[in-house]
Amino acid sequence: MYHLFRTLATLFAIYNLLCIIRVALTWIPGLSYSPFVRFLSAICDPFLNLFSRIRWLHFGAIDFSPLLAIAVLSTTGSIFLSLGHGGHFTLESFLPLIIRSMWTIISDIILFFMIIVAARLIVALVGGDKNSSLWNQIDSSLSPLVYAITKPFSGGRPVAYRNALVFVLVLLIALNFGGRIAVSWLIDMCHRIPF
């Protein structure tokens, strides 16, 4: 029985890797006609499309549903791996796994936005954003979020875009750091709950 769980864990890990490669290759234009990409699309897209229907995972042109799909695969693989190594799967081991998986999704989204905001801020500071269609596209998706985040803290007063970017970047760094502390505390509390 343990061999079956280990085999399932390996299969989930392989499929997870294929899904990650599939998602990464969608960022490279012109590859959709490649036989390898069509193969990946045929085996990965049915699963990934289940999550792409979740609307709250879409932010403008950015789709975060692959993060949830990959987290589900990773969590399921971890469960099978634990069972395959003779571990008993209990609520005590399940709750930390779910908390870690949820934090992985959230921290990946925070990290993604940190990188975008930092890159946008650097380009704005060096003046490389003049007449750039790329940065105009990024701004059209990013600026509503940046201003929505800064509005409650500015008392409704207008804030310069660069200042708003700095504020959001600092806030994202604080959220990432605070989230790690909170997740460690929650996992520690889960291990102390008598089951």
Side-chain angles (χ1 to χ4, degrees), residues 32-74:
S32 59
Y33 299 108
S34 160
F36 179 67
V37 172
R38 283 187 294 178
F39 166 74
L40 284 179
S41 176
I43 62 172
C44 297
D45 285 0
F47 176 72
L48 295 171
N49 288 340
L50 293 173
F51 295 88
S52 68
R53 297 181 187 132
I54 304 172
R55 291 287 149 218
W56 58 270
L57 291 172
H58 297 262
F59 175 72
I62 303 168
D63 180 10
F64 290 105
S65 63
L67 288 174
L68 181 58
I70 289 166
V72 166
L73 287 173
S74 179

Side-chain angles (χ1 to χ4, degrees), residues 59 109-121 141-154 159-176:
F59 175 72
I109 292 171
I110 290 171
L111 181 62
F112 174 79
F113 278 115
M114 281 171 54
I115 291 168
I116 295 292
V117 170
R120 182 63 186 102
L121 181 61
S141 293
L142 189 62
S143 63
L145 178 67
V146 167
Y147 285 124
I149 291 171
T150 57
K151 186 177 180 179
F153 297 97
S154 68
V159 177
Y161 191 51
R162 287 182 190 175
N163 294 343
L165 287 170
V166 170
F167 177 79
V168 169
L169 183 60
V170 170
L171 184 64
L172 289 171
I173 291 169
L175 278 173
N176 195 27

